[in-house]
Amino acid sequence: MSDTFEHEFGGQHTDIKLEIVEKYLKRYSAALHTWCDQVWYIDAFAGTGRRTVRVKAREGDLFEEPVPEQVEHRRGSAKIAIDIEPPFDRLVFMDVKPKHVAALEALKAEHPSRDIDVLEGDANKLIKSEIAWEGWRKTRAVMFLDPYGMEVEWDTLRRIAETKAIDVWYLFPLSGLYRQAARDLAKIDGAKERAITRMLGTDEWKQELYSDAPRPAANLLFDMEPVDVRQRNADVAGLEQYVQKRLKTIFAEVLDPFPLPSIERPQKFSLFCAISNPSKRAISLAQSFGGSIVKSMPASHHRTGR
Ligand SMILES: C[S@@+](CC[C@H](N)C(=O)[O-])C[C@H]1O[C@@H](n2cnc3c(N)ncnc32)[C@H](O)[C@@H]1O
């Protein structure tokens, strides 16, 4: 494997994430190709098409030989999408990193018969310029938003929703949000505040996620007046519910997210599926895909008590 494709990221949850998205893509492509002229896949944070996974060394014991660390190369989202049957009619891969773009070009060259576009640049800008066209009446697409962190801007999501033709899988960086949204509102500096607002599309989160803490008594000894403190009232589950509520303001439907990692805590991501097409058929199709994917996953990956 040439160095071009080397891309090490994520953890065990990455396998689950890609498994869920692959299952959806298979169902989506099969169903949509029965009536739609053009079915596309857009990967806005495409990576290299492959991922490098280090499998930890295992010490030997009485029964088993020790196993040294192994390096495996598995398929990333772009390659998974290329392999989907029936095939997508067009695939668009975007990435900001020139080295990753070179790897995506090499991946494209391995599939000369496929209609693949590789675009270099910031996903927010590229998505807005690429999806602004009149052809969405006869074309449907699935887009995968798989950033490292808080890169996806609300305005980008809004534009995607406005096409009424694109289903989005969005790996929402829940840990990024709970790290930036400190317990004490006063401790959030201007840059963090703007980053949260850019991601959630409103500054109302300051009212919705925070409330006045009980006022402490005045400190008579030092003649000090108590200071009002606003504290975050939403825990991790509350933040996730708030994000889902926000997404529902622009998308026709937002399925309950998959928590990732699914077993270990803290939860770091929420994998959302948002549907922009408001037709009953599109919504019930997405709901049934989502339901069957949940059923197909091991019970340990199911969400408990929400
Ligand atoms: C988590 S990786 C994506 C992995 C990919 N989905 C896979 O399965 O192989 C995130 C990718 O986003 C790219 N990236 C980071 N910021 C970006 C931006 N603003 N616009 C486009 N790509 C970006 C990174 O270079 C990296 O390749």
Side-chain angles (χ1 to χ4, degrees):
M1 172 82 41
S2 90
D3 173 56
T4 323
F5 291 107
E6 290 296 336
H7 185 204
E8 207 173 329
F9 64 93
Q12 275 174 342
H13 66 271
T14 307
D15 288 316
I16 302 169
K17 168 186 77 179
L18 292 175
E19 185 183 337
I20 292 168
V21 172
E22 180 173 15
K23 284 180 170 166
Y24 192 88
L25 295 183
K26 280 185 184 155
R27 289 164 171 79
Y28 182 91
S29 179
L32 275 278
H33 270 110
T34 58
W35 63 273
C36 191
D37 286 0
Q38 284 282 307
V39 185
W40 294 0
Y41 171 77
I42 305 171
D43 200 328
F45 296 82
T48 64
R50 304 218 164 84
R51 60 196 187 91
T52 309
V53 179
R54 269 169 220 285
V55 183
K56 277 193 194 143
R58 232 188 23 237
E59 282 183 21
D61 57 24
L62 220 49
F63 308 102
E64 291 192 61
E65 292 283 305
V67 181
E69 184 191 72
Q70 290 175 36
V71 177
E72 289 180 10
H73 292 99
R74 299 186 191 159
R75 295 179 309 156
S77 53
K79 175 68 174 133
I80 287 172
I82 289 175
D83 292 343
I84 294 291
E85 290 287 341
F88 284 102
D89 301 296
R90 184 178 174 221
L91 299 112
V92 182
F93 301 146
M94 305 171 178
D95 206 284
V96 79
K97 202 170 169 182
K99 198 173 156 217
H100 290 184
V101 171
L104 293 166
E105 288 288 1
L107 185 66
K108 172 182 165 164
E110 288 172 14
H111 300 274
S113 63
R114 303 296 299 276
D115 183 358
I116 299 177
D117 285 303
V118 178
L119 307 174
E120 179 176 340
D122 170 50
N124 292 292
K125 290 201 184 90
L126 288 174
I127 290 171
K128 283 178 204 157
S129 64
E130 287 300 306
I131 67 175
W133 71 308
E134 299 300 317
W136 288 118
R137 252 166 31 89
K138 292 192 167 176
T139 302
R140 292 289 178 272
V142 188
M143 186 184 289
F144 187 24
L145 300 174
D146 185 20
Y148 288 137
M150 296 172 58
E151 290 91 344
V152 178
E153 295 168 9
W154 185 261
D155 201 39
T156 305
L157 295 170
R158 193 177 54 74
R159 297 284 193 90
I160 298 167
E162 279 170 6
T163 65
K164 299 191 180 350
I166 302 178
D167 285 3
V168 186
W169 279 90
Y170 177 18
L171 186 75
F172 184 87
L174 202 60
S175 59
L177 178 58
Y178 61 68
R179 269 202 310 269
Q180 305 284 323
R183 284 259 161 224
D184 180 350
L185 185 62
K187 295 212 170 111
I188 306 179
D189 65 30
K192 286 184 178 162
E193 201 177 309
R194 284 191 294 280
I196 299 173
T197 298
R198 203 165 45 238
M199 188 167 65
L200 296 175
T202 175
D203 61 5
E204 283 168 12
W205 56 269
K206 286 185 261 178
Q207 277 75 50
E208 303 227 22
L209 300 177
Y210 288 80
S211 48
D212 289 335
R215 223 163 190 255
N219 189 333
L220 299 175
L221 197 60
F222 296 102
D223 197 21
M224 280 162 64
E225 274 302 307
V227 182
D228 283 335
V229 176
R230 281 183 71 76
Q231 278 195 336
R232 173 149 60 76
N233 50 39
D235 58 6
V236 173
L239 291 178
E240 183 182 64
Q241 278 163 24
Y242 180 67
V243 175
Q244 185 171 14
K245 189 173 112 182
R246 287 292 303 145
L247 290 171
K248 281 186 172 177
T249 64
I250 52 173
F251 285 97
E253 170 67 339
V254 180
L255 304 184
D256 281 346
F258 287 87
L260 293 172
S262 43
I263 303 167
E264 310 97 81
R265 287 293 168 259
Q267 180 180 339
K268 291 188 187 144
F269 302 96
S270 301
L271 184 59
F272 282 102
C273 178
I275 317 302
S276 62
N277 185 338
S279 80
K280 271 197 186 139
R281 176 158 77 157
I283 292 174
S284 66
L285 210 57
Q287 286 167 336
S288 88
F289 294 163
S292 73
I293 292 170
V294 171
K295 280 201 201 107
S296 73
M297 303 299 283
S300 55
H301 295 343
H302 294 183
R303 179 183 287 285
T304 46
R306 166 136 184 214

